[in-house]
C-alpha cells in the first residue's frame, strides 16, 4: 500500500478546500449550516498553490477563476445542478441531477455487444468504445436536461476503483468541461456512489446504515457511519458474485448481451433449485467475507458431468439439454445467494453491536437488480427488524446519476477541486485509482487471504477523510 503521507498532497485537496476559506458575514451563516466542523481561517479563494485530486502537477487558484464557485454559487441556497460522468468499466454514462433529488437526465451507452463478442470486458476495447461515445453521451445528458455547461454548478466524475484505461476517458472529459467553463470538479469513489444513491431514492435514509454492494468486480459489506466514513465488515477474497454470474452464463451458453445475472435469473426460473447439490462457500469461516471461485468450479464440473457444450447457444440446444442447463442455473443461483444471506446475517449482528441505531440495509450495485436477490435479502432484514433499501434497477447498474448525486453530497461538504487549467501543465498525470478501498477493515472481518493482494492499493477513502478531520 502506498504510504499515506506521500499521497495526501495530491489527493486530499478536495477534502480540505473549505477548511482554508474565510467567509464574509453575509455568507458565514449559510456556510455553517453546510459544514459546522470546518474552521475557515484564510481569505476567500486567495491566490494559492494546490495540488489537484486529479493531477500531480502544481496549479494556481485565483479569485477570478473561482468566482463562479463561491460568489454566485448556488451552494449557498443549495440549488446545485451537477453533471455526473461514469466510465469505470463497460458502460459510458452521464446524468444531470439537482440537489433536491430531481433527475434531469440520464444517458447510458452500453457495451453489451462487446461483452458478447469477447465473453467479458476487454479493457482496451472498452476504452476505445468509451472514447467513441463519451462526447455524445455527455451532450445528450445536457440536451435532455435542457441545459448547457454554463448552467452547471459542478462536474462529478468517477476516479476509481475501476479499469485505468476506462477511468481515464471519463476523467479527461470531466476536466475538459470543468476547465473550459470554470467549474469545480468532484472526484467520486465508485462504490461510495453505489451506496449513496440509495439516499437519493430514500429520503429518510440517514447515517449510520449497513450496505451490501454487489457487482461484477466487488462484494462489499460496509457500515456507512458518515459521508466518507466507512467500516469494511467483509469483502470477497477472490471473485465477486457478479463475475461468477457472468462466467456461469457464458459456460451455459446464454446470451451475454444481457448481464450474466439477468440471464441466469431468467433461466433459473425454469429449473429446479434443488437438482444439483452445490456446497455453500466458506461455511467454516465465521466472518463476513465472500468467496465465489470455488462455487464457479463446482458449476463448471456440473456442466461437464452433464456433457453440456457451452459453445452451443442455449437457443440451439435440445429440449433435454435446455432443461439440464436450467436446473444447473437454478441450483447455482440458490447457493450463490444463500452465501450472501449468511454473510449479511452475521454483518447485521456485527453492525448492530457497533452502531445499535442502524435501521436500514442498503443493497446496491449491478447484482442488486436481481429480483431473487432482493426477495431473499428481504427475508433476512425482516428477521432482524431492519428495512431493506434497494435503488431501482436502472440506478443499481453503473450510471451517471449516482456519480452526480455523490458529487452533490461531497460538494455540500466542500470536498471538491477548483477548475483545472485549460492548458494542462507539462507532465501532468491524472490521479486514477483503479484499486481504491472504500473503508478500513474491521478487525473481526480481516482476511489473511485478502491481505496478500494489497500491492498498488491507494489509501482508502475513509483513511483520507479521517486524516483531514484530525
Amino acid at each position: 500500500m502506498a504510504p499515506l503521507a506521500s499521497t495526501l498532497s495530491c489527493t486530499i485537496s478536495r477534502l480540505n478546500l473549505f477548511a482554508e476559506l474565510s467567509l464574509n458575514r453575509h455568507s458565514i451563516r449559510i456556510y455553517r449550516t453546510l459544514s459546522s466542523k470546518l474552521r475557515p481561517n484564510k481569505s476567500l479563494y486567495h491566490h494559492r498553490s494546490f495540488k489537484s485530486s486529479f493531477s500531480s502537477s502544481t496549479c494556481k487558484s485565483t479569485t477570478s477563476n473561482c468566482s463562479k464557485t463561491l460568489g454566485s454559487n448556488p451552494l449557498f441556497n443549495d440549488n446545485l445542478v451537477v453533471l455526473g460522468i461514469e466510465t469505470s468499466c463497460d458502460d459510458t454514462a452521464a446524468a444531470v441531477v439537482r440537489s433536491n433529488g430531481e433527475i434531469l437526465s440520464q444517458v447510458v451507452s452500453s457495451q453489451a455487444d462487446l461483452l458478447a463478442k469477447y465473453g467479458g470486458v476487454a479493457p482496451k476495447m472498452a476504452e476505445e468504445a468509451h472514447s467513441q461515445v463519451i462526447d455524445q453521451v455527455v451532450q445528450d445528458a445536457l440536451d435532455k436536461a435542457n441545459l448547457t455547461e454554463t448552467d452547471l454548478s459542478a462536474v462529478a466524475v468517477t476516479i476509481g476503483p475501476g479499469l485505468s484505461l476506462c477511468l481515464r476517458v471519463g476523467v479527461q472529459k470531466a476536466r475538459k468541461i470543468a476547465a473550459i467553463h470554470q467549474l469545480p470538479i468532484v472526484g467520486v469513489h465508485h462504490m461510495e456512489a453505489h451506496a449513496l444513491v440509495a439516499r437519493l431514492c430514500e429520503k429518510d435514509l440517514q447515517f449510520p446504515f449497513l450496505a451490501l454492494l454487489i457487482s461484477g468486480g466487488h462484494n462489499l459489506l460496509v457500515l456507512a457511519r458518515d459521508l466518507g466514513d466507512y467500516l469494511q465488515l467483509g469483502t470477497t477474497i477472490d471473485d465477486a458474485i457478479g463475475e461468477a454470474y457472468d462466467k456461469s452464463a457464458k459456460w451455459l451458453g446464454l446470451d451475454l448481451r444481457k448481464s450474466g445475472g439477468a440471464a441466469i435469473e431468467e433461466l433459473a426460473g425454469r429449473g429446479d433449485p434443488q437438482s444439483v447439490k452445490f456446497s455453500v462457500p466458506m461455511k467454516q469461516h465465521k466472518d463476513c467475507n465472500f468467496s465465489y471461485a470455488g462455487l464457479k468450479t463446482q458449476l463448471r464440473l456440473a456442466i461437464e458431468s452433464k456433457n453440456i457444450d457451452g459453445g452451443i447457444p442455449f437457443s440451439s440446444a435440445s429440449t433435454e439439454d435446455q432443461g439440464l442447463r436450467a436446473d444447473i442455473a437454478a441450483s447455482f443461483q440458490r447457493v450463490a445467494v444463500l452465501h450472501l444471506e449468511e454473510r449479511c446475517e452475521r454483518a447485521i449482528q456485527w453492525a448492530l453491536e457497533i452502531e445499535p441505531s442502524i435501521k436500514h440495509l442498503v443493497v446496491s450495485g449491478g447484482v442488486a437488480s436481481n429480483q431473487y436477490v432482493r426477495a431473499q435479502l428481504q427475508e433476512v432484514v425482516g428477521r432482524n427488524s431492519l428495512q431493506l433499501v434497494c435503488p431501482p434497477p436502472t440506478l443499481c447498474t453503473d450510471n451517471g446519476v449516482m456519480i452526480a448525486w455523490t458529487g452533490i453530497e461531497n460538494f455540500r461538504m466542500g470536498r471538491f477541486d477548483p477548475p483545472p487549467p485549460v492548458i494542462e501543465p507539462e507532465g501532468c498525470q491524472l490521479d486514477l485509482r483503479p484499486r481504491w478501498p472504500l473503508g478500513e477493515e474491521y478487525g473481526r472481518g480481516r482476511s489473511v487471504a485478502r491481505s496478500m493482494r494489497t500491492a498498488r492499493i491507494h489509501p482508502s477513502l475513509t483513511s483520507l477523510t479521517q486524516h483531514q478531520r484530525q
Side-chain angles (χ1 to χ4, degrees):
M1 179 179 292
L4 181 62
S6 66
T7 62
L8 285 175
S9 62
C10 64
T11 60
I12 203 69
S13 62
R14 76 179 177 88
L15 301 182
N16 68 13
L17 195 57
F18 265 22
E20 299 188 8
L21 303 184
S22 174
L23 305 179
N24 58 37
R25 286 183 296 176
H26 173 71
S27 304
I28 201 163
R29 176 179 57 84
I30 304 173
Y31 173 78
R32 283 175 175 167
T33 66
L34 293 173
S35 183
S36 59
K37 294 181 180 179
L38 300 174
R39 297 190 299 275
N41 55 20
K42 296 185 181 179
S43 61
L44 181 64
Y45 271 96
H46 64 292
H47 188 277
R48 72 185 186 94
S49 296
F50 66 93
K51 285 191 175 182
S52 164
S53 292
F54 296 92
S55 170
S56 60
S57 301
T58 300
C59 310
K60 295 288 187 178
S61 172
T62 66
T63 302
S64 61
N65 69 14
C66 294
S67 60
K68 184 171 183 177
T69 310
L70 288 175
S72 58
N73 192 343
L75 173 66
F76 293 106
N77 58 21
D78 204 27
N79 185 26
L80 303 172
V81 180
V82 173
L83 168 68
I85 298 175
E86 156 63 25
T87 62
S88 65
C89 191
D90 58 340
D91 285 332
T92 312
V96 180
V97 179
R98 288 191 186 277
S99 53
N100 65 1
E102 181 183 3
I103 299 172
L104 300 180
S105 66
Q106 180 180 5
V107 179
V108 179
S109 176
S110 172
Q111 296 182 13
D113 290 338
L114 282 178
L115 292 176
K117 180 178 179 180
Y118 293 101
V121 179
K124 186 59 179 175
M125 298 299 102
E127 177 200 21
E128 292 178 1
H130 284 306
S131 298
Q132 290 170 5
V133 301
I134 185 65
D135 290 342
Q136 190 60 55
V137 166
V138 170
Q139 190 58 54
D140 286 350
L142 292 169
D143 291 344
K144 290 183 178 182
N146 293 316
L147 298 174
T148 66
E149 291 89 345
T150 58
D151 299 310
L152 299 174
S153 308
V155 180
V157 61
T158 305
I159 62 173
L163 301 173
S164 292
L165 292 174
C166 298
L167 291 167
R168 183 179 303 277
V169 176
V171 170
Q172 287 176 332
K173 179 63 176 179
R175 286 180 64 82
K176 181 178 179 180
I177 294 173
I180 293 173
H181 300 281
Q182 289 298 281
L183 295 167
I185 188 167
V186 185
V188 171
H189 192 294
H190 182 80
M191 299 312 291
E192 181 179 42
H194 273 307
L196 294 186
V197 74
R199 283 164 53 87
L200 170 65
C201 306
E202 178 57 61
K203 304 302 182 186
D204 294 331
L205 179 60
Q206 301 294 325
F207 295 106
F209 60 84
L210 180 63
L212 170 66
L213 308 177
I214 41 179
S215 64
H218 297 88
N219 260 76
L220 281 176
L221 273 164
V222 295
L223 173 57
R225 295 181 289 199
D226 202 349
L227 185 66
D229 187 357
Y230 303 92
L231 182 64
Q232 178 182 295
L233 303 181
T235 187
T236 180
I237 64 171
D238 42 56
D239 298 329
I241 185 172
E243 198 276 340
Y245 269 122
D246 290 342
K247 277 295 195 311
S248 301
K250 178 182 178 181
W251 293 338
L252 289 169
L254 304 184
D255 185 355
L256 293 180
R257 287 175 296 180
K258 302 176 181 179
S259 69
I264 289 289
E265 182 178 25
E266 181 180 339
L267 180 58
R270 301 168 53 177
D272 177 4
Q274 300 294 336
S275 61
V276 182
K277 304 304 180 185
F278 292 131
S279 300
V280 180
M282 298 182 71
K283 290 286 284 188
Q284 73 277 20
H285 295 278
K286 305 305 179 182
D287 56 31
C288 297
N289 292 313
F290 302 89
S291 170
Y292 282 96
L295 183 57
K296 281 169 49 183
T297 300
Q298 292 183 67
L299 179 133
R300 181 174 53 80
L301 293 174
I303 291 173
E304 292 175 358
S305 70
K306 303 293 184 182
N307 296 316
I308 294 172
D309 183 356
I312 299 175
F314 178 83
S315 58
S316 301
S318 67
T319 301
E320 180 183 3
D321 197 350
Q322 288 183 352
L324 292 174
R325 298 188 197 202
D327 286 344
I328 292 175
S331 300
F332 166 79
Q333 178 173 252
R334 180 184 66 82
V335 174
V337 177
L338 182 57
H339 187 33
L340 289 182
E341 295 175 56
E342 292 181 349
R343 282 6 218 180
C344 283
E345 288 270 13
R346 183 172 290 112
I348 289 172
Q349 299 308 314
W350 285 8
L352 288 172
E353 291 173 9
I354 301 167
E355 295 282 359
S357 62
I358 287 174
K359 295 182 174 62
H360 299 90
L361 170 65
V362 169
V363 181
S364 189
V367 180
S369 302
N370 185 302
Q371 296 303 309
Y372 180 79
V373 169
R374 293 184 181 216
Q376 296 304 111
L377 292 179
Q378 182 62 63
E379 294 184 10
V380 172
V381 298
R383 290 194 294 267
N384 291 275
S385 302
L386 297 182
Q387 298 178 43
L388 182 67
V389 178
C390 294
T394 56
L395 297 184
C396 283
T397 53
D398 292 352
N399 63 88
V401 172
M402 70 182 194
I403 305 304
W405 179 253
T406 303
I408 288 169
E409 292 230 33
N410 280 286
F411 192 76
R412 282 170 169 161
M413 296 296 293
R415 298 173 185 172
F416 60 85
D417 283 326
V422 176
I423 300 177
E424 297 281 12
E426 185 177 351
C428 177
Q429 296 182 356
L430 300 180
D431 182 19
L432 308 175
R433 309 176 189 180
R435 298 187 66 191
W436 187 17
L438 178 60
E440 294 298 286
E441 284 185 302
Y442 183 46
R444 292 167 67 185
R446 186 169 289 112
S447 166
V448 175
R450 182 69 180 181
S451 67
M452 299 295 289
R453 304 172 61 196
T454 57
R456 294 181 294 178
I457 289 183
H458 196 281
S460 74
L461 173 66
T462 298
S463 67
L464 295 176
T465 305
Q466 291 174 343
H467 186 278
Q468 175 55 28
R469 289 173 176 170
Q470 293 174 356

